[in-house]
Amino acid sequence: MNQMIIETYHHKGGGYNPFFIKDNWQVAQLNYMPELGFRSIEKLEKHMETDEIFILTKGIALLIIGLETATELQFQLTKMEPGVTYNVPVNAWHNIAMSTDAEVIIVEKSNTHLGDFIYRHLDKTEQENLVKKISSLL
Protein backbone atom coordinates (compact mmCIF):
# COMPACT_ATOMS: atom_id res chain seq x y z
CA MET A 1 0.00 0.00 0.00
CA ASN A 2 1.86 3.08 -1.26
CA GLN A 3 -1.06 5.49 -1.51
CA MET A 4 -0.53 8.71 0.47
CA ILE A 5 -3.38 9.45 2.87
CA ILE A 6 -2.13 12.73 4.33
CA GLU A 7 -2.37 15.77 2.07
CA THR A 8 0.08 18.66 2.45
CA TYR A 9 -0.26 22.32 1.52
CA HIS A 10 2.09 25.31 1.55
CA HIS A 11 1.63 28.65 -0.16
CA LYS A 12 4.95 30.04 -1.39
CA GLY A 13 3.72 33.19 -3.14
CA GLY A 14 2.72 36.52 -1.65
CA GLY A 15 -0.66 37.38 -0.23
CA TYR A 16 -3.70 35.31 0.67
CA ASN A 17 -4.42 31.79 -0.59
CA PRO A 18 -7.34 29.67 0.70
CA PHE A 19 -5.89 26.24 -0.07
CA PHE A 20 -8.27 23.92 1.76
CA ILE A 21 -12.02 24.45 1.65
CA LYS A 22 -14.25 21.76 3.17
CA ASP A 23 -17.88 21.75 4.22
CA ASN A 24 -18.42 25.08 6.05
CA TRP A 25 -14.81 26.06 6.85
CA GLN A 26 -11.53 26.81 5.13
CA VAL A 27 -7.82 27.04 5.84
CA ALA A 28 -5.76 29.70 4.12
CA GLN A 29 -2.22 30.95 4.26
CA LEU A 30 -1.43 34.65 4.31
CA ASN A 31 2.10 35.68 3.39
CA TYR A 32 3.52 39.20 3.44
CA MET A 33 2.40 41.63 0.79
CA PRO A 34 3.34 45.33 0.67
CA GLU A 35 -0.06 46.62 1.85
CA LEU A 36 0.44 44.64 5.09
CA GLY A 37 3.81 46.21 5.89
CA PHE A 38 4.32 47.79 9.31
CA ARG A 39 4.00 51.31 7.85
CA SER A 40 1.48 50.52 5.11
CA ILE A 41 -1.87 49.66 6.73
CA GLU A 42 -4.57 51.85 5.15
CA LYS A 43 -7.74 49.95 6.05
CA LEU A 44 -9.40 47.55 8.45
CA GLU A 45 -11.89 44.85 7.58
CA LYS A 46 -14.58 42.89 9.37
CA HIS A 47 -16.60 39.76 8.74
CA MET A 48 -20.29 39.55 9.57
CA GLU A 49 -20.59 35.75 9.48
CA THR A 50 -17.42 34.32 10.97
CA ASP A 51 -14.74 34.52 13.59
CA GLU A 52 -11.25 34.36 12.11
CA ILE A 53 -8.40 32.30 13.53
CA PHE A 54 -4.77 33.40 13.00
CA ILE A 55 -1.66 31.29 13.68
CA LEU A 56 1.79 32.77 13.04
CA THR A 57 4.19 30.19 11.62
CA LYS A 58 7.09 32.40 10.54
CA GLY A 59 8.33 35.98 10.90
CA ILE A 60 6.79 38.83 12.88
CA ALA A 61 3.11 39.78 12.77
CA LEU A 62 0.89 42.14 14.74
CA LEU A 63 -2.88 41.65 14.94
CA ILE A 64 -4.69 44.98 14.82
CA ILE A 65 -8.15 45.54 16.27
CA GLY A 66 -9.98 48.82 15.68
CA LEU A 67 -12.45 50.00 18.31
CA GLU A 68 -14.77 52.82 17.28
CA THR A 69 -15.69 55.30 19.98
CA ALA A 70 -17.89 58.36 19.67
CA THR A 71 -14.86 60.52 18.89
CA GLU A 72 -12.11 58.33 17.45
CA LEU A 73 -10.85 54.96 16.31
CA GLN A 74 -8.69 53.29 18.94
CA PHE A 75 -6.27 50.49 18.16
CA GLN A 76 -5.47 47.38 20.17
CA LEU A 77 -2.38 45.56 18.93
CA THR A 78 -1.15 42.09 19.78
CA LYS A 79 2.32 40.92 18.84
CA MET A 80 1.74 37.35 17.74
CA GLU A 81 3.80 34.46 19.05
CA PRO A 82 4.54 31.56 16.69
CA GLY A 83 2.26 28.57 17.23
CA VAL A 84 -0.30 30.45 19.36
CA THR A 85 -3.90 30.50 18.11
CA TYR A 86 -5.56 33.94 18.03
CA ASN A 87 -9.28 34.44 17.42
CA VAL A 88 -10.73 37.67 16.02
CA PRO A 89 -14.49 37.58 16.76
CA VAL A 90 -17.18 38.17 14.18
CA ASN A 91 -17.89 41.89 13.52
CA ALA A 92 -14.51 43.09 14.85
CA TRP A 93 -12.57 45.59 12.76
CA HIS A 94 -9.14 44.08 12.18
CA ASN A 95 -6.04 43.75 10.05
CA ILE A 96 -2.57 42.30 10.36
CA ALA A 97 0.82 43.95 9.90
CA MET A 98 3.64 41.65 8.86
CA SER A 99 7.39 41.44 8.36
CA THR A 100 8.50 40.57 4.83
CA ASP A 101 9.20 36.95 5.82
CA ALA A 102 5.96 36.40 7.77
CA GLU A 103 3.55 33.55 7.13
CA VAL A 104 0.19 33.15 8.91
CA ILE A 105 -2.35 30.33 8.77
CA ILE A 106 -5.99 31.48 8.81
CA VAL A 107 -9.05 29.34 9.63
CA GLU A 108 -12.51 30.75 8.96
CA LYS A 109 -15.94 29.97 7.54
CA SER A 110 -15.73 28.81 3.95
CA ASN A 111 -15.90 31.39 1.18
CA THR A 112 -15.28 34.29 3.58
CA HIS A 113 -12.85 35.68 1.02
CA LEU A 114 -15.61 35.78 -1.61
CA GLY A 115 -17.86 38.32 0.06
CA ASP A 116 -18.13 38.25 3.85
CA PHE A 117 -16.16 41.42 4.44
CA ILE A 118 -16.46 45.18 4.52
CA TYR A 119 -13.64 47.69 4.71
CA ARG A 120 -13.07 50.80 6.79
CA HIS A 121 -10.43 53.04 5.26
CA LEU A 122 -8.21 54.89 7.73
CA ASP A 123 -7.74 58.63 7.44
CA LYS A 124 -4.22 60.11 7.63
CA THR A 125 -4.40 60.78 11.37
CA GLU A 126 -5.57 57.23 12.06
CA GLN A 127 -2.79 55.85 9.86
CA GLU A 128 -0.19 57.94 11.71
CA ASN A 129 -1.54 56.82 15.10
CA LEU A 130 -1.44 53.20 14.00
CA VAL A 131 2.16 53.46 12.75
CA LYS A 132 3.19 54.92 16.12
CA LYS A 133 1.53 52.04 18.00
CA ILE A 134 3.11 49.48 15.68
CA SER A 135 6.55 51.07 16.09
CA SER A 136 6.22 50.95 19.88
CA LEU A 137 5.72 47.14 19.77
CA LEU A 138 8.58 46.33 17.42
Side-chain angles (χ1 to χ4, degrees):
M1 179 171 164
N2 289 340
Q3 182 181 3
M4 290 299 297
I5 301 298
I6 296 174
E7 300 172 357
T8 61
Y9 303 90
H10 185 254
H11 172 51
K12 295 183 189 285
Y16 177 82
N17 179 32
F19 52 72
F20 187 84
I21 301 173
K22 181 108 173 151
D23 300 323
N24 293 322
W25 59 280
Q26 68 185 21
V27 179
Q29 184 170 331
L30 176 64
N31 295 344
Y32 171 83
M33 51 189 179
E35 57 266 34
L36 298 179
F38 295 129
R39 304 181 69 77
S40 303
I41 304 296
E42 296 182 352
K43 64 184 175 186
L44 302 178
E45 69 178 43
K46 72 175 170 178
H47 308 294
M48 289 70 63
E49 297 178 13
T50 188
D51 286 9
E52 190 169 13
I53 299 290
F54 293 84
I55 304 167
L56 177 66
T57 60
K58 181 179 171 189
I60 299 169
L62 304 172
L63 275 177
I64 302 162
I65 299 295
L67 301 169
E68 293 179 303
T69 71
T71 58
E72 66 180 349
L73 181 66
Q74 297 177 349
F75 298 105
Q76 287 183 352
L77 276 66
T78 300
K79 188 172 185 181
M80 297 176 70
E81 296 180 37
V84 175
T85 300
Y86 298 88
N87 183 55
V88 173
V90 65
N91 287 315
W93 289 112
H94 66 282
N95 205 333
I96 188 168
M98 308 171 78
S99 62
T100 57
D101 63 337
E103 296 179 359
V104 173
I105 298 297
I106 297 174
V107 181
E108 60 198 349
K109 189 179 256 189
S110 63
N111 300 320
T112 298
H113 64 289
L114 298 177
D116 179 26
F117 54 84
I118 57 173
Y119 295 115
R120 184 193 187 286
H121 292 273
L122 305 178
D123 65 30
K124 285 293 182 195
T125 301
E126 292 167 340
Q127 288 178 36
E128 290 168 2
N129 290 340
L130 180 55
V131 167
K132 287 177 190 173
K133 281 201 88 139
I134 289 171
S135 296
S136 72
L137 283 180
L138 296 176

